[in-house]
Amino acid sequence: MATYVKDFSEGDRDQKDLLGGKGANLAEMTRLGLPVPPGFTITTEACRAFMRTGEVPAELRVEVTMALRRLEDALGRQLGDFHEPLLVSVRSGAKFSMPGMMETVLNVGLNDASVQGLAQFSGDERFAWDSYRRLIQMFGRTVLGLEGELFADALDKAKAGRGVTSDVELTADDLRVLVDTFKEIVRTETGKEFPQHPREQLDLAIVAVLQSWGTERARLYRRKERIPDDLGTAVNVCSMVFGNLGPTSGTGVAFTRNPSTGETGDYGDYLVNAQGEDVVAGIRNTLSLADLEEVDPVAYGELRQAMRRLETHYRDLCDIEFTIERGKLWMLQTRVGKRTAPAAFRIACQLVDEHLITMDEALSRVNGAQLSQLLFPQFDADGERTLLTKAMAASPGAAVGMAVFDSVTAQEWAEEGKDVILVRRETNPDDLGGMIAAVGILTARGGKTSHAAVVARGMGRTAVVGAEALDIDMVTRSFTVTGHKVHEGDVIAIDGSTGDVFLGSVPVMPSPVSTYLEEGLDVALASTDDEETRDLVMAVDRILRHADATRRLHVHANADTAEDAARARRLGAEGIGLCRTEHMFLGERRVLVERVVLATQDATRQEALDALLPLQREDFVDLLREMDGLPTTIRLLDPPLHEFLPDFTELSVKVALAEASGNVDEADVQLLAAVTRMHEANPMLGLRGVRLGLVVPGLFALQIRAICEAVAIRRVAGGDPHAEIMVPLVGSVQELRIIREEALGIMAEVGAEHGITLDLPVGVMIELPRAALTADRIAEEAQFFSFGTNDLTQTTWGFSRDDVEGAFFAQYTANGVLSVSPFETIDAKGVGRLVRIAVEEGRATRPDLTIGVCGEHGGDPESIRFFDSVGLDYVSCSPFRVPVARLEAGRASVAGPDTDAR
Amino acid sequence: MATYVKDFSEGDRDQKDLLGGKGANLAEMTRLGLPVPPGFTITTEACRAFMRTGEVPAELRVEVTMALRRLEDALGRQLGDFHEPLLVSVRSGAKFSMPGMMETVLNVGLNDASVQGLAQFSGDERFAWDSYRRLIQMFGRTVLGLEGELFADALDKAKAGRGVTSDVELTADDLRVLVDTFKEIVRTETGKEFPQHPREQLDLAIVAVLQSWGTERARLYRRKERIPDDLGTAVNVCSMVFGNLGPTSGTGVAFTRNPSTGETGDYGDYLVNAQGEDVVAGIRNTLSLADLEEVDPVAYGELRQAMRRLETHYRDLCDIEFTIERGKLWMLQTRVGKRTAPAAFRIACQLVDEHLITMDEALSRVNGAQLSQLLFPQFDADGERTLLTKAMAASPGAAVGMAVFDSVTAQEWAEEGKDVILVRRETNPDDLGGMIAAVGILTARGGKTSHAAVVARGMGRTAVVGAEALDIDMVTRSFTVTGHKVHEGDVIAIDGSTGDVFLGSVPVMPSPVSTYLEEGLDVALASTDDEETRDLVMAVDRILRHADATRRLHVHANADTAEDAARARRLGAEGIGLCRTEHMFLGERRVLVERVVLATQDATRQEALDALLPLQREDFVDLLREMDGLPTTIRLLDPPLHEFLPDFTELSVKVALAEASGNVDEADVQLLAAVTRMHEANPMLGLRGVRLGLVVPGLFALQIRAICEAVAIRRVAGGDPHAEIMVPLVGSVQELRIIREEALGIMAEVGAEHGITLDLPVGVMIELPRAALTADRIAEEAQFFSFGTNDLTQTTWGFSRDDVEGAFFAQYTANGVLSVSPFETIDAKGVGRLVRIAVEEGRATRPDLTIGVCGEHGGDPESIRFFDSVGLDYVSCSPFRVPVARLEAGRASVAGPDTDAR
């Protein structure tokens, strides 16, 4: 028994799996003795049972009855009673916060009888009828699935009929009439009466919340946030307290520190004489907490005390919902608060300085995604600009894009490759798709805790909210502000750190964190007078240095040119994990490569190869000079054959047209013949990598010789080059053996020519399932492994990024097969299993095998944790991602092995 | 000590790894007390050491000295002595026979001094000088690497100078002069004297044999026969006996049964007054053993006795080399003899009847490749034909092709897709490439044990040998026979079962074994009066029935039409393992599918789908009728998208030309736009299989409905349909879950419509590495697995059969990366490992999971043994391969698990 329901007094914050985040924290606050209205939580276990069977478990009804009775006994009131009725709120609360995703019903227990009890009890008839009106409206929309606008229109009509503009101007009688109207709406739309039985209301509300877990928009959100579908939500049934009992009542949201900048001191929004939803929805503009201190210093003092208590207890920024009922503070919710990236770094360091957490903990409180955000450029303060308005900076960053006015258009335009900024009066959960598609979000209403602000911060989108000066006209699809008219498609720019909204495009500048990473702390600090910025830079430096000191994984970079290598080194790369030699065959050299590949005579081929050698050698000399003293892994030619040949279809058309016009160019005809001969139906599965190297004589030998000569030149010049030769697309040890023998021969030759000994490590890209499955054999010949996880993902799944990433991925995300592209985050269960096999079996053959990863996953935070857990020596990523990888590698060390397999 | 050399008296036949086949059998015959000339074997261990270091191990020299001393002591003669010299032969002998591949040197020990001792000892000066002449010739060619023609020309010149045509007409003096000429050749060509020191001769000959293991042609042969390169060869040093000591001497080859037909009774070739090589090379025509009985009844009697002894001892057909030296029989070699496919079946049954072996052993004595050969059609006896000549039937079959006169041309023409028949005076090991490329081999000289005959039988090529009527002119590249002149490129036909050679093409008839398999034993026996043929058919029947009784694996067939299914069922298929539905979308239906795929509007698509439904349903009704009572696995649409669309390049050319001429067809332009939109760079890795099914609405639903309706129709008609639905290209359990839910819905609907319960199993093709790696999860939803090993090979290796099978495979076979295409025989170590993982982990989730294979590997003998060893329930192959698969499945059961991983 009692697995489906727990009283608030029974749980604690560690029971998030069972009680959801909200329930666990309500229990924790109850335990701490903070003023939480009594109530109980229906556990996620009940939701899972509901999802399995589609029905409410019979045991749940019994347990709810018992819990309700305990609640009634404790408060001495009965649900929906004619006298002093007990009313309850019914709120969802999953393990992970899903803001605005699921349903809430307040004032459950009100009916034609108890509304009078409430009037009596509260001494405020108007309040009672307003509460009843709210119940029917919320219940109608949430539980009965009616259009919200039906009720909103009726409300507007009532106000218009009375010639007033604000809800509070409606009298008790007006509201009584409105309740009848609302009940009529329910009757007309559903064919049934609004349920009068309090327990029936409660049961229906509970079912509505349980069902809200499975809605399309909730699924979409979870997929985006990688929350498993099978967790289920808890349901919190809490005795109602009222923020709308007049001017000494109100409701608010508070943060123990500024979640936008990380500044110390409390921070929040308060709405006098309002119920909870009014704040979160951002429908009315709010007061600050400082205003509250003036309005009700006693309640404010209690709140401050509770906030300090919570922050010390949770040892982190807390986010709180509270209500003041006639001067009495009630805590409705708390959780560790979401924050912007700058705030995350600054708060982590503050908490260390306040001796609340250790540096290791500080490291675990920030993440690579946040660091990435800090690297975004900002608007150039000296650039030309036309300021349209200034509003609330809700989520930092600098976004430039075309204004669009609805979510669907935003998604369509984004799919066409356009940058769009979603402009809305206010956002609601239906706008989620458009918010994901947009580069920035601008709203005319709502505060920093409005839906738009919270969701944008969560997903790292730039957002400016509450721009009241905006007059949005959906008919002409434009907005007007301070004399300017902006149509859909016009470019605007928004600054999520300042709240500025600009007309047209605005030039952007590197972020101070970028400056720090590229040019060092001193330069970055000297570049700004802004204390917040300086504090942020120092926080990043402090945490990143701790990450470097802590991490086990080395971080290398993928860099093809000396310039990229130099940049990577500045950003902290400890080597080059992947130098692709493909780019060295582009431009005017391309024709030489074409000649090598298409040559039918050895002499022609050799001539082209000879011409390429000095060019290649110089590339490598430059690269090795920049990477002096550090490992530099150079991959032999890898890309599909066709990349070096003219396009088959284009050439076919050209020749056909020439033939039709009688102007045949014999060279083209011959070229077409050659290209036809070499044409591949599936170039990704064709002659490439080591296969091309083994089939085209001299190609790999040229590259190996160029590498060896470059090393010799650098050594003779007094340098310390550490070039390593990487063979791509190996599927069998024998392929590597042949190339390795050739390489050893060339090393000996070049060594003899320069009077030195060359002993370059020769290793492989592990990018085919067979390479991973036969890693024990391959390690006999390979001195290092480097996972090419892009190709490995491609072959393990049997789809190529080029071919399936468009429509297919969209479909696959929608139907839940993929929650994230396996090209972005490593597929631990499939591709990752091959990685594990190769690591274990490769090291069994050669215990000192160096193993890294050089696919794009090397820069992905979640993937880096995986690579740390399987014991890789390094990750290699694009130079830009190096700081992120350093941070994530440090976090991985602090967190210990992550063995989650999705 | 003594690991490198073993006397013949020390070993036995089980030591083939160490002593090679020849050495082990010489030891065995010595053990049996048969007359084997004394000698010793240098072990494969020595060869492996030689291969590793490139040098003869010092210990080997010491051990050879000791063994030679033991040999000299036993015989009382000394190597190369002036009096009664001991001479030895030096022959290669690897574990697996490699006929003609490696080197042999006879008469080692002869020099200017000992030749006189041999003359005295043998009382035959001419013989002694002839032997010396042979040594220099063989040594010069084999050990010193000189052109054989240098010696052959000198010999011809000597004969011409004396006005004689036969070697035996040259006198001792002639030969003494010839020896000088030969020595002069050696001096001129090598700059050194022919080595006079006997031990130096011996050591050089041993090295030559060891080196012969590593020659290009030996490697090629091993690759073809799948013999590992690292086995090494043994070297047998055997005291010489002479078949060329006059008319009472001779040398021969014998089989204990006819290796061509399987007939009982001995069978062989004998050459009077000749040394061993003369017989094998087929240079002179030979006597039969019956002739020997007349010439030397005593020696013949001894030989017969030895043969009976050997056959009883080895319990199999033995192949023997012997020499008669002045009436005394010496056994030089024996081994279990190679045989043709008909002989294999007949001999196996004979040995059972003779109580020498069990039926299980009989089953293990034949194989699927042999059964395949028996299925080849034969020439129609009533067809029109022009007989050119009749010669020896050396390897059965009926081949029709263009005459070519050298190995290189044969290979070139074959690569162009032509059927060629290689016509040669005689073949030698250099012709191997051409023999592999040809469909048949015709030689003008040589007997049934000639190089051409032995090699052709070994590889299953049709061969006719010793067609002495052929006059081959290499200058005009033609041959003349009985008034006909046949030029290179002219078509001829050869019958390897009768020895007939025909001009032009000859119609072919099904083989009697095919008739048996398709129409049963009675029909097959009634169709022929030939006793050999009837015996063969009965032998096949007997062994195949035993295989069926023994095997654990079921055999299903891949069949897409009712006709194929019916045929498969006649051939013994116990179900359909793979019905591809692709073909059902060809022809006039293709346009409908094109419409489904390209549709941008639901209505257009649905219209096309509706039109397809009845067509699909009828296909399935027909199929299920044929397969009544047996499992019938139908795969939903699998092939790449582009197969249903017009060719992108062709259409581009068409539209470009139309535009150039101003005749634009708007429909084509729109089609091109659609095709461009859907064009994939790598269709194999694109939108296909379940991915297409999930992205194109209604496509899979149509197919599933057609299957369900077909089942319902058959059930209502009183049939017993067992359709199963197979989902292709699944990579994630979620894909299967969606399709399965859809399928369950359709089953319920169709069931309700027909008033029956439909419960069709739904399973998956496992053809992506990720499917194998996540088999535990996939088995939660899949009721069966079927490995699609073609695609699985493609993705595991990362190459597509279409793109790499040409030049690339040739190169990869040449450089030893592949010994056999992984598309032919399963790559046990890579792809096979995934199969094992999927079987183990799939069954762990669902112990009653049915698992089969439906890729082309399902019909490959070696692969079948692998699938048996990993515990599959069935293999599915093309109908034609069903009998082969039945036989191999039986053999796999008899042999027990084969766990070899190459």
Side-chain angles (χ1 to χ4, degrees), chain B residues 141-176:
Chain B
R141 204 169 46 75
T142 300
V143 182
L144 304 176
L146 304 181
E147 283 294 324
E149 290 185 10
L150 291 170
F151 300 104
D153 288 350
L155 179 61
D156 286 347
K157 204 175 285 174
K159 285 190 282 190
R162 292 279 296 158
V164 301
T165 57
S166 164
D167 299 6
V168 292
E169 293 174 85
L170 291 176
T171 65
D173 283 343
D174 296 335
L175 290 165
R176 189 181 291 118

Side-chain angles (χ1 to χ4, degrees), chain B residues 193-271:
Chain B
E193 293 294 328
F194 173 78
Q196 288 292 318
H197 195 293
R199 176 63 195 263
E200 188 185 354
Q201 289 176 6
L202 177 60
D203 286 347
L204 288 172
I206 290 170
V207 169
V209 172
L210 293 178
Q211 280 173 335
S212 71
W213 177 259
T215 60
E216 202 49 38
R217 72 175 195 217
R219 280 178 193 271
L220 181 63
Y221 183 91
R222 286 199 293 272
R223 224 160 279 144
K224 165 92 185 141
E225 297 292 320
R226 304 187 196 172
I227 299 171
D229 270 340
D230 57 1
L231 289 183
T233 183
V235 185
N236 298 291
V237 177
C238 184
S239 49
M240 285 294 302
V241 293
F242 296 98
N244 53 346
L245 272 177
T248 60
S249 300
T251 190
V253 173
F255 294 88
T256 57
R257 307 190 180 225
N258 186 328
S260 183
T261 64
E263 265 182 297
T264 51
D266 48 49
Y267 174 90
D269 300 302
Y270 182 69
L271 210 53

Side-chain angles (χ1 to χ4, degrees), chain A residues 691 735 798 812 827 833, chain B residues 691 735 770 798 812 827 841:
Chain A
R691 306 199 277 258
E735 295 170 317
Y812 262 45
D827 155 36
R833 182 169 181 188
Chain B
R691 304 199 278 257
E735 294 170 317
R770 194 173 195 280
Y812 261 45
D827 156 35
E841 301 181 7

Side-chain angles (χ1 to χ4, degrees), chain A residues 459-505:
Chain A
M459 61 174 71
R461 288 289 175 290
T462 298
V464 171
V465 300
E468 300 192 5
L470 256 58
D471 184 4
I472 300 176
D473 180 351
M474 286 302 291
V475 178
T476 60
R477 299 187 83 82
S478 63
F479 68 80
T480 316
V481 59
T482 55
H484 294 277
K485 186 153 192 167
V486 174
H487 289 94
E488 195 160 57
D490 291 349
V491 172
I492 58 172
I494 59 174
D495 188 329
S497 312
T498 63
D500 291 339
V501 180
F502 303 106
L503 181 65
S505 189

Side-chain angles (χ1 to χ4, degrees), chain B residues 302-320:
Chain B
E302 275 183 69
L303 177 63
R304 280 298 309 263
Q305 206 164 0
M307 285 165 73
R308 254 201 307 279
R309 183 79 201 272
L310 284 173
E311 199 181 71
T312 308
H313 186 69
Y314 281 87
R315 306 190 308 135
D316 205 350
L317 161 71
C318 290
D319 155 347
I320 291 154

